[in-house]
Amino acid sequence: MRFEPTAIADARIVRLTAHRDDRGAFARTWCRQTFVDAGIAFDFVQANWSVTRSRGTIRGMHFQRAPHAESKLVRITRGRVHDVIVDLRADSPTRGRLHVMELGEGDDTMLYVPAGVAHGFQTLTDDVTVEYFMGGEPYRPEYYDGFRPDDPAVAIRWPLPPVSVSDKDLSWPPLGQRFPWLLPTPALATPAL
Ligand SMILES: Cc1cn([C@H]2C[C@H](O)[C@@H](COP(=O)(O)OP(=O)(O)O[C@H]3O[C@H](C)C(=O)[C@H](O)[C@H]3O)O2)c(=O)[nH]c1=O
C-alpha cells in the first residue's frame, strides 16, 4: 500500500498492492499500522456502501460538522466516478482547495478524505458501487451537512450533464454563507493610498 499526496493537506491517494496470480488478485485495503506509519491516524467506526444506477448521477457534496466530523476511505468496486473533495477546514493551509480524480474498479486505488473535507462524485458509468470506511465519528444526522454540487463558492466542473441529484443535495444553503472565507474578498471601495 502506497500513499500519494493530493492538492489537499492530509488527503491521500492510496495505491493498493495487489498480489495477482492465475486465480485473480488479493490486496489489503486497510491496515492500522500502515496508516499510522504514513502519518494517518485512521480507525474506522462504520462502513457504508452505495449503488448508483445511472451514468451522470451526482452524490454530494457531503461532510459532517464538527465536533462529529468524519474521515473516510473511499473505494469504487464497480464502475467509474469523477471524484471531488473540497477542503472546508478554515485553519488548513489548503482551505478552499479541490482535489479531483477518477476512481474506478480495477485501478487498485482508494482516496483518503480527512475530517473537515467534503466529498462527492459524479458517476461516469452506469451501475457504480462505492464502498466507504468511515473514520472519526459515526453518522449523526443532525451534524450531516453539505452543499449543492453547483455551489458558486467552489465552482466544481462536472464532466457530464447531471442526470440525477437528490432533492436534499439541491437544497443545501449556499456554502459562502457558512464559510465566508471561501468567498472572494470584495474589492476595496477605494484603492489603498
Ligand atoms: C451517510 C449516511 C446516510 N444514511 C442514510 C440517510 C439517507 O436516508 C440514506 C441515503 O443517504 P444519502 O442520500 O446522504 O446518501 P449519499 O448521497 O450516497 O451520501 C454519501 O455520499 C457522499 C458522496 C459521501 O461521501 C458520504 O459518505 C455520504 O453522505 O442513508 C445513513 O443511515 N447512514 C449514513 O452514514
Side-chain angles (χ1 to χ4, degrees):
M1 186 179 286
R2 288 179 295 109
F3 297 82
E4 296 172 10
T6 70
I8 292 176
D10 314 316
R12 295 285 184 277
I13 297 169
V14 184
R15 303 287 186 193
L16 303 183
T17 304
H19 303 278
R20 301 186 191 284
D21 61 26
D22 54 7
R23 298 166 302 167
F26 175 92
R28 193 184 305 181
T29 52
W30 176 74
C31 167
R32 178 181 291 111
Q33 194 55 49
T34 306
F35 271 68
V36 167
D37 294 346
I40 303 170
F42 175 71
D43 258 327
F44 62 91
V45 295
Q46 184 177 315
N48 299 335
W49 157 94
S50 77
V51 174
T52 305
R53 263 194 293 278
S54 304
R55 177 176 184 265
T57 302
I58 296 176
R59 288 183 184 258
M61 302 294 289
H62 298 155
F63 61 98
Q64 216 162 251
R65 289 191 307 277
H68 299 279
E70 60 190 6
S71 53
K72 60 190 78 163
L73 193 52
V74 181
R75 190 158 75 94
I76 312 303
T77 54
R78 185 171 179 186
R80 291 196 76 74
V81 305
H82 175 85
D83 204 278
V84 180
I85 57 177
V86 182
D87 191 350
L88 297 179
R89 299 167 295 184
D91 59 350
S92 164
T94 56
R95 75 179 197 176
R97 289 254 185 97
L98 281 71
H99 169 76
V100 176
M101 70 183 292
E102 269 197 31
L103 286 170
E105 70 178 287
D107 61 10
D108 302 343
T109 298
M110 302 189 293
L111 182 62
Y112 172 68
V113 185
V117 175
H119 175 249
F121 62 84
Q122 181 173 37
T123 53
L124 300 174
T125 61
D126 291 336
D127 301 326
V128 166
T129 302
V130 184
E131 302 279 355
Y132 304 87
F133 293 143
M134 306 298 290
E137 292 286 321
Y139 176 62
R140 294 282 294 264
E142 66 276 29
Y143 285 88
Y144 193 60
D145 208 328
F147 58 93
R148 286 177 57 107
D150 61 354
D151 191 294
V154 284
I156 298 170
R157 286 198 298 274
W158 300 101
L160 302 171
V163 298
S164 172
V165 184
S166 69
D167 293 341
K168 179 188 66 181
D169 286 344
L170 293 174
S171 58
W172 295 114
L175 199 58
Q177 283 176 4
R178 295 169 285 162
F179 299 85
W181 46 263
L182 266 173
L183 299 177
T185 310
L188 291 173
T190 52
L193 296 178

